[in-house]
Amino acid sequence: MMEQSRRTEQVLLVQRLKRLIVSFVFCLPMSLLGLLLMLLLIYNSFSVFSLHLVPIPPIQSTLSPTHLQILHHQTSTSSSVSDSSLLLVVKETSLGFIQKQNVSSTRTERKTRRFKRRTELTPAITQRLQVKPRQRFKTRVKSFLSESSCESLFFMTWISSIESFGDRERFTIESLFKFHPNSCLILVSNSFDCDRGTLILKPFTDKGLKVLPIKPDFAYIFKDTSAEKWFERLKKGTLSPGVIPLEQNLSNILRLVLLYKYGGIYLDTDVIILKSLSNLHNVIGAQTVDPVTKKWSRLNNAVLIFDKNHPLLKRFIDEFSRTFNGNKWGHNGPYLVSRVIARIKISSSSDLGFSVLPPSTFYPVDWTRIKGFYRAPTNESDAWLRKRLTHLRKNTFAVHLWNRESKKLRIEEGSIIHQLMSHSCIFCNSSSLHLS
């Protein structure tokens, strides 16, 4: 009974205390009451709208060390653009927009890749072009020519690896010396001017045939021609080599300048010589003829025979340097000689002293039909094959084999190519060049 009485007293005491507090609050001035309410609101705002900040880990750069180095070397303008892009990545990553980070990084990488192509072009090309010759090109060529009695001077270029120089390429040299045993061959090549190259050519030198493998000194070879400025632009990176292999276009310009400075005969390495070229002077061969007009429609530069300092060669070199395009196949080669001569009037060709020979001279078979030359005769094709061989032996000086189309073809026994090689070989008994 007494315990219940105590609880009742406590409840009454609490109620009196609440009424006292409420009376006290309402007795306060309105300004002080407003201040209390404002403080209460501020406290509640911190509780409800507070930010829970999680430490942000460092952003891992998506740029490679090479790209970072390239960015470091950009101009102030390009750097500001890249820096803005990177800043955008930091801001948006902190908010969780990973997709936008990827977009921004991709844009940055695109810019760095474009800049990398421009800045790294020079060392890549310089490394390939500035191969230190074993000796000075000028000295070695002069010594070779003075010590040799050359009835004809031949040039070939091989700018690829020595491993890719096979039996069919060697046979071009074999057929050359078959009909020009007292001639000299200068093989301009970075890869052949070594002990292994000497070993490959040893069967020819052992027979007393005169061949010089030599690394090109491009600066010396191109000097005092329009190709000199072209070469300088290429080394500095102000001229793009394009998507066509640079070696191919180097061969295109080398053959022109070598003939211009020395004179002689240039041959591609996919040619079989069928008879002596010694009586041909200042000639280029037509590849195709228009069936209606009977005039040539395209020329080719796989076989070129010109005197030293010939004016047509200078026009070829100037055209190469002025209109170089490394993205179009043939633009700096067959199409180049075709468009230069197409601009020359018929009356002027005799003034310049050159002749365009018919396709039967060097290009008796089109690249689309070269497969037929590698096939063995059948009962149906035997008569055609014999007639074709008779025509070749009468009218053709050399056969261009269109290596891009024929390099994987098997030379079948009795085929046109087989019989032509049998006619043009030097090492006929020991060589396996006839059949693949």
Side-chain angles (χ1 to χ4, degrees), residues 20-278:
L20 181 63
I21 292 173
V22 171
S23 301
F24 175 75
V25 170
F26 277 102
C27 290
L28 290 174
M30 292 299 295
S31 60
L32 184 59
L33 181 62
L35 179 61
L36 289 174
L37 291 174
M38 184 178 294
L39 291 175
L40 180 62
L41 181 63
I42 292 173
Y43 173 77
N44 287 338
S45 66
F46 273 111
S47 299
V48 176
F49 300 104
S50 63
L51 291 173
H52 180 65
L53 299 177
V54 179
I56 301 173
I59 297 176
Q60 298 295 325
S61 175
T62 59
L63 301 176
S64 66
T66 304
H67 286 172
L68 292 174
Q69 186 177 6
I70 292 170
L71 282 174
H72 177 71
H73 290 289
Q74 290 190 48
T75 59
S76 58
T77 304
S78 60
S79 294
S80 63
V81 173
S82 298
D83 290 345
S84 300
S85 300
L86 290 173
L87 181 60
L88 180 62
V89 173
V90 173
K91 288 181 179 179
E92 293 180 339
T93 303
S94 65
L95 296 175
F97 294 107
I98 304 301
Q99 185 176 1
K100 294 202 176 226
Q101 176 187 348
N102 293 336
V103 171
S104 182
S105 299
T106 302
R107 289 173 182 169
T108 304
E109 287 181 349
R110 282 193 200 130
K111 291 171 185 174
T112 55
R113 279 198 299 269
R114 285 196 296 268
F115 186 80
K116 180 179 179 180
R117 281 195 295 269
R118 294 195 299 269
T119 56
E120 293 189 350
L121 183 62
T122 300
I125 292 177
T126 302
Q127 183 178 5
R128 293 159 69 184
L129 301 184
Q130 294 183 331
V131 179
K132 191 174 182 179
R134 192 189 287 181
Q135 295 179 15
R136 294 292 297 175
F137 180 92
K138 176 182 178 180
T139 304
R140 292 182 62 199
V141 169
K142 183 178 180 180
S143 176
F144 173 71
L145 295 178
S146 64
E147 294 173 1
S148 307
S149 178
C150 307
E151 288 186 1
S152 300
L153 178 58
F154 285 82
F155 287 97
M156 295 171 65
T157 62
W158 188 257
I159 315 296
S160 302
S161 67
I162 197 170
E163 290 78 13
S164 57
F165 193 91
D167 288 344
R168 298 189 184 185
E169 288 77 20
R170 278 193 290 268
F171 193 82
T172 298
I173 300 177
E174 189 170 338
S175 68
L176 182 162
F177 283 119
K178 170 74 174 187
F179 299 101
H180 309 86
N182 297 316
S183 65
C184 299
L185 169 63
I186 297 178
L187 178 56
V188 182
S189 172
N190 285 327
S191 57
F192 255 88
D193 194 2
C194 63
D195 292 338
R196 185 174 176 184
T198 302
L199 184 62
I200 291 174
L201 298 172
K202 190 174 185 297
F204 300 101
T205 56
D206 283 350
K207 291 181 72 69
L209 301 172
K210 291 160 284 196
V211 55
L212 172 68
I214 185 169
K215 291 181 179 179
D217 182 345
F218 293 103
Y220 169 74
I221 295 172
F222 296 150
K223 186 174 175 59
D224 298 327
T225 70
S226 56
E228 184 176 15
K229 290 184 178 179
W230 170 84
F231 183 67
E232 288 299 322
R233 291 173 60 202
L234 196 66
K235 288 195 300 181
K236 291 177 181 178
T238 58
L239 177 68
S240 170
V243 298
I244 303 297
L246 179 60
E247 290 80 4
Q248 180 176 317
N249 284 317
L250 281 173
S251 177
N252 283 327
I253 187 62
L254 269 176
R255 69 188 70 181
L256 299 175
V257 180
L258 288 170
L259 288 181
Y260 183 70
K261 290 198 168 184
Y262 294 95
I265 303 169
Y266 170 82
L267 294 177
D268 268 359
T269 56
D270 56 346
V271 171
I272 296 179
I273 305 297
L274 302 184
K275 60 182 69 172
S276 174
L277 306 177
S278 300

